Amino acid sequence: MLEPLSVSLAGMGRAKIAVGDPVLICGAGPIGLMTLLCCAAAGAEPIVITDIDQARLDVAKEICPRVRTHKVEPGISMEEAGAQISKLAGGNLTTALECSGVESSIAAAIYSVKFGGKVFVIGVGKPDINIPFMRLSTQEIDLQFQYRYANTWPRAIRLVQSGVIDMKRLVTHRFSLEDAVSAFETSAGSAKTGAIKVLIQSEV
């Protein structure tokens, strides 16, 4: 669990999230929910999180009651999605942390942040994607990416040991090493199983 936490910490560090910053988190998977915990601990406000799965948004609300959740409906345009998200945040989003890597989600994030804002892509997607270039250009929105992290584990360990970050709710399933196949199947079928983070444990 320290690995996804390290991903989130690295992203927050490079995106320079500070106390009181209005933040959008796109994607309520393991990385998105971990990023939510980190943003909440850092004092970001308001925080909006989006996903296509209401169950995951419910988990987001459970681990951070003050978060504002937005379910992305299929077929909606990126401009409309951005407008809805911006309205939910009060129109002041300065930073979006995109945790899914999905093209449409990145585009919606670009349409969500205000002039001079930043979209920081943590998620990994397809090799080639289309982005609303003119929206970025005319609104002077910075687009940044992350692929690796370094020197985050000591900080991650301190945060968990002290209780500042409580990741226990994100572990939804545990399997023995002998049941590893079932673990992968549970993780792959998360839409049906409700899996967020599936752990394989060995007593060896």
Side-chain angles (χ1 to χ4, degrees), residues 31-51:
I31 298 297
L33 291 172
M34 196 73 77
T35 301
L36 170 61
L37 289 173
C38 291
C39 286
E45 176 61 30
I47 307 173
V48 176
I49 190 167
T50 67
D51 204 274

Side-chain angles (χ1 to χ4, degrees), residues 122-190:
I122 299 173
V124 178
K126 296 179 180 178
D128 300 292
I129 63 170
N130 294 309
I131 59 171
F133 174 83
M134 286 308 297
R135 167 72 180 182
L136 289 167
S137 179
T138 59
Q139 296 298 301
E140 298 185 8
I141 296 168
D142 293 334
L143 182 61
Q144 293 181 262
F145 298 87
Q146 170 176 304
Y147 190 64
R148 291 282 186 259
Y149 60 82
N151 306 316
T152 54
W153 282 56
R155 185 187 307 175
I157 291 170
R158 289 196 301 271
L159 289 169
V160 174
Q161 282 182 332
S162 66
V164 172
I165 298 293
D166 184 355
M167 305 181 290
K168 290 191 288 291
R169 177 62 182 88
L170 304 188
V171 179
T172 54
H173 298 76
R174 298 174 187 268
F175 290 86
S176 66
L177 187 58
E178 292 74 20
D179 294 323
V181 173
S182 296
F184 283 107
E185 291 173 345
T186 300
S187 181
S190 59

Side-chain angles (χ1 to χ4, degrees), residues 12 32 54 70 72 82 92 98 104 106 120 122 125 154 161 165 194:
M12 284 188 60
Q54 184 59 51
H70 176 76
V72 179
N92 296 311
E98 209 298 312
S104 59
I106 296 171
F120 192 93
I122 299 173
Q161 282 182 332
I165 298 293

Side-chain angles (χ1 to χ4, degrees), residues 15-24 39 42-47 92 94-95:
K16 295 181 171 57
I17 302 298
V19 174
D21 280 353
V23 174
L24 166 66
C39 286
E45 176 61 30
I47 307 173
N92 296 311
T94 57
T95 306

